Every structure is written in C-alpha cells, then in structure tokens.
Amino acid sequence: MNNVLLVGLIEEDLKKIGLLLAQRLEFFYLNSEEMISYSLFDKAKMEKVCGINYMKEEERKVVFVLNTFERTVLSMSYETFSNNFDAISSSNTIIYLRQMEGQFNKRVEELLNSGIETENLHNYEISRLVFNQRDNFLKKNCNLIVKYDISKLDSLIENLEDQILEKE
C-alpha cells in the first residue's frame, strides 16, 4: 500500500486525523511540518543568512525524501503542499480534507477562542482571505476529496479507511 498524504487548511485537524488514521491502518504517522522544522532546524535563520531560494530548495529536498517512506500517513499544510507540489510523488494517495468556507471560518474561530498558541493562525487568516483559490488548487491536485467535521472523527476515519482501501 502506498503512503497516504493528508492535506488541508487546518494543521491541528490534519495532525489529529492523521494520527488516528495511521493507527487504524497500522501505518506510521509523520507530520511534514515537524519533519521540515527538525531537518532544517531554523528556517527563519536559514532564509535570512542563505536567502529564500536556498531555504525553499532545502525544504523541497526534505519533502522529496518523505516520498521514500513506506506505509506512512503524512500530514501536510497547504503551504508546504503548494510550494513543493512538484516534489511529491504521484504514487502517494493524496487526500484533501475539505471543509466548506463557512465550516472553515467557524473552525478557525474555535481555535482562536480555545487560546491555542500556534504559528498557524497567521496562515489561517490568509486562508480566510483566499479560501476559494486554495480550495480550488487542492480540489484540482488531490486524488480524493473528503469533506469532514472534526466533531465526527470516528465516522471520518472509517470513511477514509474505506476510500483508501477501495483506491488500492
């Protein structure tokens, strides 16, 4: 079975869903953003010292290596996915975990009100402004599109498992 790449607009949801799906499929789980941060250590400093092009090329190398993993559920933010789309193997099953715009906005508000401290809040604000463009890009470039409600995790994981197994 190929790797499963989950992509979407809310990283907290991708992590939670990815971990549960990996457990269900008996796969490994890896958050791409954490792997990139670990591998590049300090992206901001790298960008400042070496330049944005160098930093992006180093990030692309990490994403390319992720394709060599086996039996792994990977979660990846929209930004990493869109910036490194050409480095992602077509052998991965790429799943867009999609919310409608109203659901997305509501989920962002929930995260803001929960007091969550995350660097992703800035990305969520940008996604609010350009939701349709990001949504269209993901719909166009993913193998499966699965609408989800984070409050219904059990049925979502079952649905994902069924669709992945059916695709194999």
Side-chain angles (χ1 to χ4, degrees):
M1 184 180 279
N2 297 330
N3 290 334
V4 175
L5 173 59
L6 302 176
V7 64
L9 299 178
I10 298 185
E11 191 173 339
E12 288 79 9
D13 293 355
L14 292 172
K15 286 180 185 179
K16 185 180 287 188
I17 294 164
L19 184 58
L20 291 171
L21 181 62
Q23 291 171 345
R24 180 76 168 241
L25 295 173
E26 297 181 358
F27 274 31
F28 298 102
Y29 170 71
L30 180 66
N31 176 275
S32 301
E33 312 321 308
E34 291 172 359
M35 182 68 169
I36 290 167
S37 291
Y38 175 79
S39 298
L40 301 184
F41 191 63
D42 189 342
K43 284 175 59 174
K45 187 171 185 177
M46 180 183 287
E47 183 178 336
K48 183 178 179 182
V49 172
C50 303
I52 186 126
N53 290 334
Y54 179 83
M55 190 274 304
K56 284 184 176 184
E57 187 56 36
E58 291 303 303
E59 180 179 275
R60 183 177 313 285
K61 288 177 186 176
V62 174
V63 170
F64 185 78
V65 168
L66 297 178
N67 293 310
T68 65
F69 293 17
E70 296 179 2
R71 299 184 56 83
T72 303
V73 173
L74 303 156
S75 63
M76 186 174 288
S77 71
Y78 169 84
E79 290 77 13
T80 301
F81 181 75
S82 62
N83 290 338
N84 298 287
F85 182 70
D86 59 336
I88 296 169
S89 172
S90 61
S91 66
N92 292 318
T93 300
I94 304 171
I95 302 173
Y96 172 24
L97 292 176
R98 181 173 189 257
Q99 292 182 315
M100 301 301 288
E101 189 171 6
Q103 284 179 298
F104 171 76
N105 289 328
K106 182 179 175 187
R107 182 71 177 126
V108 170
E109 286 301 319
E110 288 172 3
L111 291 169
L112 289 170
N113 292 334
S114 72
I116 191 168
E117 290 189 30
T118 177
E119 61 193 46
N120 298 323
L121 292 178
H122 176 71
N123 291 335
Y124 299 158
E125 291 301 324
I126 293 170
S127 289
R128 282 179 159 176
L129 298 172
V130 293
F131 179 86
N132 289 324
Q133 292 92 329
R134 291 183 175 197
D135 183 58
N136 287 333
F137 177 83
L138 291 171
K139 287 190 292 188
K140 177 181 171 191
N141 291 295
C142 295
N143 305 109
L144 294 171
I145 301 165
V146 177
K147 293 181 183 175
Y148 78 97
D149 179 343
I150 196 67
S151 68
K152 299 177 182 174
L153 277 175
D154 290 336
S155 61
L156 171 62
I157 300 303
E158 286 178 26
N159 181 23
L160 286 168
E161 180 185 33
D162 290 345
Q163 290 197 43
I164 290 165
L165 294 175
E166 186 178 295
K167 190 138 180 77
E168 289 296 312

